[in-house]
């Protein structure tokens, strides 16, 4: 396939360098414990070669622009980490589903579902 | 149920109050995080202690680390030369491991101002600056910094003279970048600690310059 | 699949980034495809991330920093044309400037 960089066929949503965009919003927020845990799981699982940062990026990209606009940063990360771990055979979708149901049954708040931990 | 979650005391099974961010209704993605974390522990991939240690390590990484590197470079010419030649090895001298392929330190001079962006994702020197600010990860900065860097910097309050070359670094692969700002006038004789105190995070991304 | 890459390109040599648009996880920003710059430095060999992203063993390939002027990228719209941009580009995205 040939293309010119002026035609956009094949351009992916995350590849946004040079696009027109609005004013930069400089509001900042601190990360919640669950978000820090997502970050830690990424660092640990990639250091132990269960997947690569490249794989993390691939799935984030494949999630598409709607996910970028509607999900928070670490929501997208846990989705991608989970996908990569399943691709790597660390656990199966059914194992994850059973565990998520077990977690949700513990209580309505994060603290309860995480056993106060 | 370990306790009645309508209880006003709202104590965890250990008897301690939940952290504030623990009390919100459980979201689908939080549910996934807990489940993945527990599965990784059950399968021996990691341990609760290892996860806790990683969070502590990340909490301890902040722009203060980068600022101490900058201040040392401002006061020690040999260190600065080594830092510019080999960023990762030189940070390792200060017990700062860089978990990317290499840290590239780029120096601002009277002729050149460096600014860092990652257009494809949000690569950032997290071991030296902590986690990135939200704006670094958002569409506006990632899109515009490579097309109209001067306008972007101006929105950050940094207006560069026309004779200063702007050097943008699109950090899209395996390197990480740290901007070494210029030491401001009026800091002669300052200690490394005094100097480090004026080096803010944004100045090490290139979105600001330190002020004495 | 770990044979070494092609010989290194010298610092300062002009290179053009391929103007191709494959699907999947690729590491060449769109806005630089088809643009010509010069090798700023050779960053050595690393596993090809476009392969690693799929969880398969990757060939070692060379990573470069390529420098462009804003005019190289944005043409006469660049403001100012003499500002510069460096990007990390893997060798599989580079072609000689004489290729058509």
């Amino acid at each position: 396939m040939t293309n010119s960089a002026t035609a956009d066929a094949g351009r992916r949503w995350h590849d946004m360098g040079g696009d027109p965009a609005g004013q930069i919003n400089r509001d900042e927020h601190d990360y919640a414990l669950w978000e820090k845990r997502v970050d830690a799981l990424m660092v640990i699982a990639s250091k132990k070669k269960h997947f690569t940062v490249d794989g993390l990026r691939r799935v984030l990209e494949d999630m598409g622009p709607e996910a970028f606009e509607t999900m928070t940063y670490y929501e997208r990360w846990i989705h991608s980490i989970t996908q990569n771990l399943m691709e790597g055979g660390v656990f199966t979708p059914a194992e994850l589903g059973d565990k998520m149901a077990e977690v949700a049954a513990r209580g309505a708040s994060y603290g309860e579902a995480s056993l106060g931990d | 149920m370990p306790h009645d979650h309508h209880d006003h005391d709202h104590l965890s099974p250990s008897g301690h109050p939940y952290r504030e961010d623990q009390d919100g209704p459980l979201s689908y993605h939080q549910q996934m995080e807990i489940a993945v974390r527990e599965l990784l522990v059950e399968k021996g991939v990691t341990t609760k202690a290892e996860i806790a240690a990683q969070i502590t390590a990340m909490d301890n990484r902040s722009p203060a680390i980068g600022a101490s590197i900058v201040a040392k470079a401002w006061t020690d010419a040999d260190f600065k030369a080594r830092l510019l030649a080999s960023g990762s090895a030189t940070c390792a001298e200060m017990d700062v491991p860089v978990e990317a392929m290499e840290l590239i330190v780029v120096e601002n001079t009277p002729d050149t101002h460096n600014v860092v962006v990652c257009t494809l994702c949000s690569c950032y020197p997290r071991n030296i600056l902590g986690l990135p600010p939200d704006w670094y990860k958002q569409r506006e900065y990632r899109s515009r910094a490579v097309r109209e860097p001067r306008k972007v910097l101006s929105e950050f309050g940094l207006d560069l003279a026309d004779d200063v070359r702007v050097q943008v670094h699109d950090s899209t692969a395996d390197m990480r970048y740290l901007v070494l700002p210029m030491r401001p006038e009026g800091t002669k004789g300052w200690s490394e600690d005094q100097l480090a105190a004026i080096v803010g995070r944004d100045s090490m991304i290139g979105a600001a310059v330190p002020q004495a | 699949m770990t044979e070494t890459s092609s010989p290194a390109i010298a610092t300062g040599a002009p290179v053009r980034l391929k103007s191709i648009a494959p699907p999947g996880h690729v590491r060449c920003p769109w806005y630089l495809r088809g643009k010509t710059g010069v090798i700023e430095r050779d960053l050595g060999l690393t596993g090809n991330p476009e392969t690693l992203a799929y969880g398969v063993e990757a060939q070692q390939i060379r990573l470069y920093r390529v420098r462009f002027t804003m005019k190289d990228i944005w043409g006469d719209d660049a403001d100012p044309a003499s500002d510069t941009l460096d990007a990390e580009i893997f060798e599989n995205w580079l072609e000689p400037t004489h290729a058509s």
Side-chain angles (χ1 to χ4, degrees):
Chain A
M1 174 174 183
T2 59
N3 74 303
S4 82
T6 53
D8 268 0
R11 183 169 185 179
R12 302 194 66 200
W13 69 271
H14 69 279
D15 189 351
M16 54 183 71
D19 279 354
Q23 190 123 5
I24 292 155
N25 176 352
R26 291 168 65 197
D27 292 346
E28 297 187 23
H29 82 286
D30 290 330
Y31 294 103
L33 177 60
W34 85 273
E35 294 179 302
K36 293 179 182 183
R37 283 175 164 158
V38 172
D39 199 275
L41 294 177
M42 169 59 201
V43 172
I44 291 167
S46 60
K47 210 178 271 177
K48 297 188 179 188
K49 314 281 186 203
H50 292 286
F51 61 95
T52 62
V53 175
D54 315 293
L56 179 83
R57 285 171 63 167
R58 168 180 56 86
V59 173
L60 291 170
E61 292 163 10
D62 289 349
M63 288 170 70
E66 197 189 317
F68 184 74
E69 303 295 350
T70 61
M71 292 165 68
T72 67
Y73 188 74
Y74 282 110
E75 285 175 350
R76 284 179 275 131
W77 269 44
I78 189 61
H79 178 100
S80 177
I81 290 166
T82 301
Q83 178 78 26
N84 273 278
L85 289 170
M86 291 191 296
E87 289 175 3
V90 178
F91 50 74
T92 66
E95 282 178 296
L96 179 64
D98 287 345
K99 179 60 84 174
M100 285 177 71
E102 179 192 325
V103 165
R106 294 172 187 161
S109 74
Y110 180 82
E112 290 164 316
S114 187
L115 296 174
D117 184 19
Chain B
M1 290 297 297
H3 71 289
D4 175 1
H5 63 264
H6 299 296
D7 182 347
H8 70 280
D9 284 331
H10 217 101
L11 299 181
S12 75
S14 67
H16 299 294
Y18 287 125
R19 290 171 57 134
E20 210 173 314
D21 62 24
Q22 302 273 72
D23 286 346
L26 180 70
S27 74
Y28 180 74
H29 292 93
Q30 289 173 340
Q31 190 185 339
M32 200 185 300
E33 176 271 308
I34 298 167
V36 169
R37 170 162 45 94
E38 292 186 5
L39 283 173
L40 291 180
V41 171
E42 285 169 21
K43 289 174 179 289
V45 170
T46 186
T47 62
K48 287 170 78 165
E50 188 176 36
I51 295 165
Q54 172 59 31
I55 290 173
T56 302
M58 208 59 235
D59 280 345
N60 288 336
R61 289 175 192 145
S62 77
I65 296 174
S68 68
I69 292 168
V70 168
K72 190 168 173 64
W74 282 349
T75 54
D76 180 341
D78 286 346
F79 176 82
K80 178 174 141 181
R82 291 201 301 282
L83 186 68
L84 292 172
S86 178
S88 299
T90 309
C91 287
E93 288 176 24
M94 295 180 73
D95 293 326
V96 179
V98 178
E99 283 165 10
M101 211 172 135
E102 176 66 278
L103 178 77
I104 295 179
V105 180
V106 290
E107 183 185 18
N108 287 347
T109 66
D111 302 324
T112 303
H113 180 87
N114 293 280
V115 59
V116 183
V117 60
C118 175
T119 62
L120 293 181
C121 52
S122 44
C123 301
Y124 190 75
R126 45 174 31 220
N127 283 18
I128 291 175
L129 300 182
L131 295 172
D134 291 321
W135 56 260
Y136 188 85
K137 302 185 284 189
Q138 285 163 358
R139 176 180 295 280
E140 290 74 18
Y141 184 75
R142 288 170 51 187
S143 298
R144 294 176 54 210
V146 296
R147 180 71 180 89
E148 45 182 17
R150 284 172 190 266
K151 206 167 162 206
V152 167
L153 293 176
S154 179
E155 285 174 26
F156 278 84
L158 180 59
D159 289 299
L160 295 167
D162 290 346
D163 61 354
V164 175
R165 175 175 62 99
V166 174
Q167 167 67 62
V168 181
H169 300 269
D170 190 351
S171 166
T172 55
D174 294 47
M175 306 291 134
R176 296 292 177 268
Y177 293 86
L178 180 73
V179 175
L180 176 58
M182 280 192 289
R183 180 171 173 168
E185 300 288 332
T187 58
K188 203 168 175 202
W190 286 27
S191 70
E192 265 183 57
D193 286 349
Q194 283 175 299
L195 290 168
I198 61 167
V199 181
R201 178 197 66 204
D202 291 358
S203 74
M204 294 179 279
I205 305 172
V209 295
Q211 308 292 331
Chain C
M1 273 289 292
T2 51
E3 69 270 26
T4 51
S5 63
S6 49
I9 307 171
T11 296
V15 286
R16 182 158 56 220
L17 277 53
K18 286 184 184 173
S19 184
I20 56 174
H25 179 72
V26 295
R27 285 294 183 85
C28 182
W30 187 273
Y31 74 95
L32 294 174
R33 295 187 199 175
K35 310 298 182 189
T36 298
V38 297
I39 300 290
E40 190 268 343
R41 72 179 82 168
D42 178 348
L43 295 165
L45 293 169
T46 182
N48 183 349
E50 297 177 0
T51 309
L52 290 171
Y54 294 91
V56 286
E57 196 186 339
Q59 189 186 0
Q60 292 285 307
I61 61 169
R62 206 165 277 283
L63 177 63
Y64 296 95
R65 265 155 60 88
V66 181
R67 177 163 297 180
F68 306 85
T69 66
M70 287 297 184
K71 186 171 182 181
D72 293 334
I73 304 170
W74 308 114
D76 294 332
D77 283 352
D79 176 32
S82 55
D83 283 348
T84 51
L85 180 138
D86 288 5
E88 290 160 43
I89 306 293
F90 291 88
E91 65 171 289
N92 56 325
W93 279 91
L94 299 178
E95 61 186 9
T97 50
H98 56 74
S100 58

